[in-house]
Amino acid sequence: MTWYKPNTWFETKKNVTPSKPVNKTIIPPGRSSRPTWGTDAFVDIKGSITFINPGYIAEYIPVIRKLSWINPDVGLAVNDMVQLTNTGHRIKFDPEVPQDVQKQMRLHLEEKQKEWGDGVAYMNGLVNKMITQIWIAGALSNEWVVANDKMGVAHLAMVNPETIRFRWNKRKLRFFPYQIQNSDTGSRIGEKYVKLNNNTYKYFGLNGDTDIPYGIPPYLTALNSLTTQGEMDKNIKFIMRQVGLLGFAELLMEKPSQNNGESDGAYKTRLETLLKESKDNIMEGITEGVVVGYSEDHQFDFRSTTKNLGGVSEVYNLNEQQVANGLKCASPFLGVGGSGAETGINIIFTKMLSQLQNVQKIVAANLKHGYSLELRLAGYNFKNLQVEFNPSTITDELKFQQAWEYKIRNIFNKYKAGVISMQQMADELGYDKPDQQEPRSDLDDSGADKEKRQDQNDKSDKKTRDKAKPQPKKGESKSNIQFMLESFPEDVLNEFLDFYAAKK
């Protein structure tokens, strides 16, 4: 382990002796295959470094980013996914770290997080930015900037993924990140690419099926439908400007005849003036809610444009469905489609949970690196650190706890049957090791089951009669007074009878 190489912090040496020696002569070292990127590779001006071109992915990331600001569907999808993905997270250390030291490290991180971002609500705001970047750009790209005194992390820099280019190292057969330099990044003259430090800079790509590390934006598939949506909106706006939203009013008047001696030009001017004055009067009357005219001289009518536009809503809904599919979200989240059956809703929630967890794991890996870097530089020692997000708010907590109870019971039954050990049981439950070597008590003696069995026993006791006090047969039941008198002691009963006789 080397302190200045975070990727070696979690390496552990295992002294394992193989039961059978491995024939190393048939296992060649290194990589025998080569990546295939075709025309995506290019060489810089010096001709010494081979870069991989991200192609149109980098070109469309700024487009998707702007759409998230101005397009209602993309903006809603990003906002909803960020709110649902950021459920809050917790930090777990390996069990060998004392509880007081764990508390110190958590408090240390809480204080340092306040210095890592500008214009955000501490770590919650930074996590929102990470999640937003993943949904927009298909990658998480940031740098944990180390302070000048190397005593911790100074701040977290969010690096635009479209400015990243990966270099192929022929000797190591690996990709290494570089950033494009231009006037916006304040580069020096002649400097086109700058190599990024793998110990502080992290790039986590989403999706993709090739060896190339670039992530693919999830919303890239929605751009075609969004283009169609924009053209449809332009057509609707044009119709509204020309004929109005619902239609247009029509006024027909008797055309006045040309006066004697009136020139054609003057006659034309008089007609145009009359039409303009009539239009202004009609518009003023419509505004006031009253339109007046002479039945013999004026003919009013309203031409509707909506009766022939019945299919427009269906076309719009079809386009919205395609937009929702491209945005990887269910159409009801965009306000399209009615309520479905419970089974369909459960399927949608299950799919969405998988999407959220996929993004949460990327953010958790990034936070793990940053938190570990901060704590190591601050002088804390530990073997492992895990970042876990809290359960999503769209899940049913009762069902989750019930499923967890069944899981615990099934695992414990496997332990009682001798199938697994305590350590294996801890592994299946998500813990590093068991707190005790043996169970503290049998799982069947839990509070809920114990009360349930006790209640069943009580009901069974009520059905069992004492043979010494048999139930009276029909016709032999005694009155309440007789029962009370028989239960009193004899001396008390005699005193009551004497007192009652004296009163008479």
Side-chain angles (χ1 to χ4, degrees):
M1 181 187 76
T2 308
W3 73 270
Y4 58 86
K5 293 183 178 180
N7 57 338
T8 65
W9 289 347
F10 309 112
E11 292 181 354
T12 57
K13 295 182 178 180
K14 297 182 179 180
N15 298 323
V16 179
T17 303
S19 57
K20 183 178 180 180
V22 179
N23 187 1
K24 297 182 180 181
T25 58
I26 62 175
I27 302 178
R31 175 174 177 172
S32 59
S33 64
R34 291 295 181 270
T36 304
W37 47 63
T39 58
D40 292 334
F42 67 95
V43 182
D44 69 343
I45 298 177
K46 299 179 181 179
S48 58
I49 300 178
T50 302
F51 288 96
I52 308 302
N53 190 358
Y56 60 87
I57 295 177
E59 300 174 4
Y60 282 110
I61 291 177
V63 176
I64 299 174
R65 184 178 295 118
K66 292 179 181 179
L67 285 174
S68 68
W69 303 340
I70 62 176
N71 184 272
D73 291 335
V74 181
L76 179 63
V78 172
N79 181 76
D80 287 347
M81 299 310 291
V82 170
Q83 297 299 323
L84 294 173
T85 306
N86 188 5
T87 58
H89 63 276
R90 57 187 182 275
I91 306 171
K92 295 177 62 177
F93 297 94
D94 54 277
E96 297 181 3
V97 180
Q99 291 296 326
D100 56 339
V101 178
Q102 293 187 24
K103 183 178 180 180
Q104 291 178 9
M105 289 191 289
R106 290 190 178 95
L107 292 176
H108 176 83
L109 290 175
E110 288 180 6
E111 291 300 320
K112 291 291 294 184
Q113 289 170 2
K114 301 176 182 179
E115 307 172 3
W116 289 351
D118 299 324
V120 295
Y122 306 146
M123 183 49 64
N124 184 70
L126 289 174
V127 170
N128 283 340
K129 283 193 172 184
M130 297 177 192
I131 297 172
T132 304
Q133 190 181 69
I134 293 174
W135 285 110
I136 290 177
L140 174 54
S141 171
N142 58 202
E143 183 177 9
W144 300 87
V145 182
V146 178
N148 293 330
D149 58 3
K150 297 183 179 180
M151 296 299 293
V153 175
H155 69 277
L156 178 63
M158 303 296 296
V159 184
N160 288 354
E162 64 267 24
T163 65
I164 301 301
R165 296 295 181 271
F166 281 96
R167 170 203 173 188
W168 172 250
N169 190 305
K170 296 181 180 179
R171 184 174 61 86
K172 296 183 178 180
L173 302 179
R174 297 295 299 274
F175 294 93
F176 291 91
Y178 284 69
Q179 185 182 25
I180 296 177
Q181 300 298 297
N182 50 36
S183 58
D184 296 333
T185 57
S187 62
R188 294 188 295 269
I189 298 177
E191 186 180 34
K192 191 174 182 180
Y193 301 96
V194 60
K195 185 178 181 180
L196 302 178
N197 191 331
N198 279 333
N199 295 325
T200 56
Y201 173 78
K202 286 298 173 184
Y203 182 100
F204 298 92
L206 181 69
N207 301 325
D209 64 328
T210 65
D211 206 20
I212 300 176
Y214 296 113
I216 300 177
Y219 297 157
L220 192 63
T221 53
L223 293 182
N224 187 33
S225 299
L226 289 171
T227 302
T228 304
Q229 183 189 75
E231 295 175 353
M232 294 173 63
D233 290 341
K234 289 181 181 179
N235 291 334
I236 294 298
K237 290 179 181 178
F238 175 78
I239 295 174
M240 290 176 59
R241 286 196 300 266
Q242 297 299 318
V243 299
L245 178 61
L246 300 178
F248 59 93
E250 182 183 57
L251 170 63
L252 299 178
M253 300 184 301
E254 291 289 338
K255 181 180 178 180
S257 59
Q258 187 174 2
N259 298 326
N260 294 329
E262 185 179 19
S263 64
D264 293 340
Y267 179 57
K268 179 180 179 181
T269 302
R270 183 162 63 90
L271 291 178
E272 292 177 351
T273 302
L274 177 61
L275 291 176
K276 185 178 183 303
E277 291 177 353
S278 300
K279 175 184 175 182
D280 294 340
N281 292 334
I282 291 297
M283 293 300 297
E284 183 179 355
I286 292 176
T287 303
E288 295 177 354
V290 179
V291 178
V292 296
Y294 297 104
S295 60
E296 297 180 356
D297 298 334
H298 300 83
Q299 180 179 350
F300 296 95
D301 196 5
F302 183 82
R303 302 293 184 179
S304 175
T305 59
T306 58
K307 62 181 180 181
N308 296 325
L309 298 177
V312 173
S313 60
E314 297 179 2
V315 176
Y316 255 95
N317 287 337
L318 178 61
N319 177 256
E320 287 292 321
Q321 289 278 2
Q322 294 175 343
V323 170
N325 294 336
L327 295 176
K328 310 296 189 298
C329 66
S331 56
F333 283 86
L334 298 182
V336 182
S339 58
E342 183 178 358
T343 303
I345 295 175
N346 291 335
I347 294 175
I348 292 175
F349 279 169
T350 303
K351 175 186 175 183
M352 182 170 292
L353 283 177
S354 301
Q355 290 177 320
L356 302 184
Q357 291 173 0
N358 197 17
V359 175
Q360 287 176 344
K361 289 178 181 178
I362 294 178
V363 178
N366 182 55
L367 294 177
K368 176 180 179 179
H369 176 81
Y371 290 161
S372 300
L373 179 61
E374 167 62 35
L375 294 174
R376 297 289 186 186
L377 293 176
Y380 291 100
N381 295 319
F382 53 91
K383 288 184 178 181
N384 191 18
L385 179 152
Q386 295 293 334
V387 177
E388 296 181 356
F389 275 83
N390 299 325
S392 175
T393 55
I394 65 176
T395 57
D396 190 334
E397 182 65 19
L398 176 60
K399 293 182 179 179
F400 175 80
Q401 295 296 339
Q402 288 175 341
W404 184 249
E405 180 183 3
Y406 284 128
K407 180 178 180 180
I408 295 175
R409 187 175 301 279
N410 292 336
I411 294 174
F412 190 79
N413 289 336
K414 289 192 291 184
Y415 168 78
K416 290 198 303 182
V419 178
I420 62 175
S421 63
M422 282 288 292
Q423 179 60 49
Q424 290 175 307
M425 187 164 66
D427 293 337
E428 293 191 21
L429 292 175
Y431 297 94
D432 295 328
K433 65 177 183 179
D435 182 66
Q436 302 290 330
Q437 295 301 321
E438 297 293 338
R440 290 189 177 91
S441 63
D442 191 79
L443 190 63
D444 293 336
D445 289 336
S446 61
D449 290 337
K450 189 173 182 180
E451 292 179 1
K452 183 177 180 180
R453 290 195 306 274
Q454 184 63 38
D455 182 63
Q456 292 176 348
N457 293 336
D458 292 342
K459 292 180 180 180
S460 178
D461 290 341
K462 291 179 180 179
K463 295 179 180 180
T464 305
R465 295 289 181 176
D466 188 355
K467 294 182 180 181
K469 296 180 179 180
Q471 184 178 3
K473 298 180 181 180
K474 185 177 180 179
E476 297 181 356
S477 58
K478 301 178 180 179
S479 64
N480 292 335
I481 298 178
Q482 289 177 321
F483 180 80
M484 291 174 61
L485 292 177
E486 291 181 356
S487 61
F488 273 102
E490 185 177 355
D491 53 346
V492 176
L493 181 60
N494 292 333
E495 291 181 5
F496 173 75
L497 294 174
D498 293 341
F499 173 78
Y500 185 74
K503 285 291 184 181
K504 282 187 175 182

